[in-house]
Amino acid sequence: MPDGRLLVTTKEGTLHLLKGKRFEQVALEGLPPVFTNGQGGLLDIAIHPGDKKNPRIYMTMATGTDEANRTTLVQGVFDGKRVHGIKTLFRAQPDKSGGQHFGARLLWQKDGSLLMSIGDGGNPPQQVGGMLARDQAQNLGSHNGAILRLTDAGKAAPGNPLAARPGALPEIWSYGHRNIQGMALDANGRVWATEHGPRGGDELNLVEAGQNYGWPLQSYGRDYRTGEPVGQLVVPGMTQPKIAWVPSPGASGLTQYSGSQFPQWRGSLFSGGLASTDVRRIVLDKDGNVVSQERLEIGKRVRDVRQGPDGHLYVITDEDNGQLLRIVAR
């Protein structure tokens, strides 16, 4: 938050404020019922960048039932003790069934717009709208498998790249994504995203407005059931990833480091790993090309990684009894 305090969501639908080394639960007044099956739950959280006191809190969550659910954006006001006045700003459509692939990462851009990732809806044989759920990522009439660009009121932001295209939903900013689990803004205002691929093919993408990132026509992954490649490695007209990780680290959480605690790391991206139980440091050149990578072994499933105002990196683990870790110099 603006004062440096830390808020953490839990999957089950609770919010917690870090005080010292202990968490204090924060009341969420008016939060809609949370769908917690599978990968569903109360997910990402972001603070309105223009608010210094009593900030507006934005949270993504899964809502609905096992038969009909979706990624939802809600907003409330934090008065230091509780989040009140919670209202729903946006619901991704169409509804899907099951508990897979909600996306749900949030990122504020420098122009004040809010990016929100939406997953494709699930793995085969999962279907949405009479097609395989994963094919929704190429359907511009669906929010699924896309990054959306919204105003702070949850409406389609002005100037979205596909708004004038017949049949395209006006909120879509980029598409052809499977399940983005990390988004970060770099010092140049560029948007980076990490997404899960099936059985290999996790990706780091430099995301630009209006671009198609290929899923499921272009992929480095393999079908869970058949083991066959999903799509082709390169499809003309579709944007290639900056990294395709095979095997998959289960990339989750992403930040670019700009602090003072580790000056040698400035400008590097840090990506958490669920399957790899690590954090990847990704070194970039000035043009956004990947120069090298190294692993910071955590030994537990990493759900998110953020930079604090103190210049340290903070990591949260994905366990029944998860931990908040601070990375410090030795």
Side-chain angles (χ1 to χ4, degrees):
M1 292 191 295
D3 60 10
R5 290 185 297 169
L6 183 69
L7 290 169
V8 178
T9 61
T10 69
K11 184 178 187 295
E12 290 75 18
T14 57
L15 180 65
H16 299 261
L17 177 68
L18 182 65
K19 287 195 170 183
K21 292 188 176 182
R22 298 181 64 84
F23 281 112
E24 180 179 283
Q25 188 165 338
V26 176
L28 294 172
E29 297 183 357
L31 187 73
V34 182
F35 175 74
T36 59
N37 290 15
Q39 297 163 5
L42 182 61
L43 301 168
D44 209 359
I45 182 168
I47 314 298
H48 193 293
D51 295 347
K52 302 305 179 188
K53 188 177 181 182
N54 295 335
R56 282 167 285 178
I57 306 294
Y58 291 72
M59 295 179 289
T60 49
M61 56 187 293
T63 62
T65 66
D66 197 58
E67 293 73 31
N69 58 72
R70 80 294 302 173
T71 305
T72 298
L73 176 68
V74 300
Q75 177 214 78
V77 175
F78 181 61
D79 64 8
K81 296 182 179 179
R82 64 196 175 114
V83 178
H84 60 85
I86 294 176
K87 56 188 176 182
T88 296
L89 298 185
F90 184 82
R91 296 183 183 90
Q93 293 296 316
D95 286 353
K96 64 182 192 64
S97 60
Q100 294 181 334
H101 300 186
F102 292 92
R105 288 294 183 174
L106 294 172
L107 179 67
W108 291 102
Q109 294 202 96
K110 292 183 177 180
D111 64 1
S113 63
L114 179 63
L115 300 182
M116 176 179 175
S117 71
I118 309 295
D120 66 359
N123 297 310
Q126 185 73 25
Q127 292 207 352
V128 174
M131 65 176 74
L132 287 178
R134 68 188 186 191
D135 291 336
Q136 291 284 336
Q138 294 295 322
N139 176 14
L140 293 177
S142 167
H143 294 125
N144 295 346
I147 295 177
L148 313 182
R149 179 171 170 265
L150 306 171
T151 67
D152 62 6
K155 307 298 183 183
N160 277 348
L162 304 173
R165 187 179 295 189
L169 294 176
E171 297 86 2
I172 294 176
W173 190 71
S174 66
Y175 63 106
H177 302 289
R178 181 172 178 265
N179 190 23
I180 288 176
Q181 290 295 298
M183 288 199 296
L185 205 65
D186 71 15
N188 297 312
R190 297 176 298 194
V191 175
W192 295 86
T194 51
E195 64 182 271
H196 289 182
R199 294 185 65 174
D202 282 13
E203 294 180 0
L204 171 71
N205 284 295
L206 177 56
V207 188
E208 297 179 343
Q211 296 301 301
N212 182 352
Y213 289 81
W215 177 256
L217 305 178
Q218 175 179 277
S219 166
Y220 287 77
R222 293 180 175 271
D223 188 282
Y224 283 114
R225 298 177 301 165
T226 67
E228 294 296 316
V230 179
Q232 302 174 28
L233 298 183
V234 178
V235 175
M238 296 183 178
T239 304
Q240 280 282 300
K242 292 294 185 177
I243 298 174
W245 283 294
V246 181
S248 296
S252 190
L254 187 67
T255 194
Q256 186 184 48
Y257 187 75
S258 60
S260 59
Q261 295 290 335
F262 308 103
Q264 71 277 22
W265 286 355
R266 286 195 194 117
S268 294
L269 294 173
F270 287 84
S271 172
L274 292 163
S276 57
T277 65
D278 63 11
V279 172
R280 306 285 173 99
R281 182 170 83 95
I282 303 161
V283 182
L284 306 172
D285 66 18
K286 61 181 177 59
D287 298 318
N289 297 309
V290 175
V291 175
S292 62
Q293 301 179 59
E294 68 171 325
R295 296 179 68 235
L296 283 69
E297 182 62 42
I298 303 297
K300 297 180 179 181
R301 288 167 55 85
V302 175
R303 175 58 65 183
D304 203 1
V305 54
R306 306 276 178 117
Q307 180 183 322
D310 58 3
H312 285 112
L313 287 170
Y314 289 82
V315 170
I316 200 160
T317 65
D318 181 81
E319 307 170 87
D320 289 340
N321 185 19
Q323 293 179 317
L324 176 69
L325 310 175
R326 183 172 62 186
I327 296 176
V328 300
R330 286 197 295 195

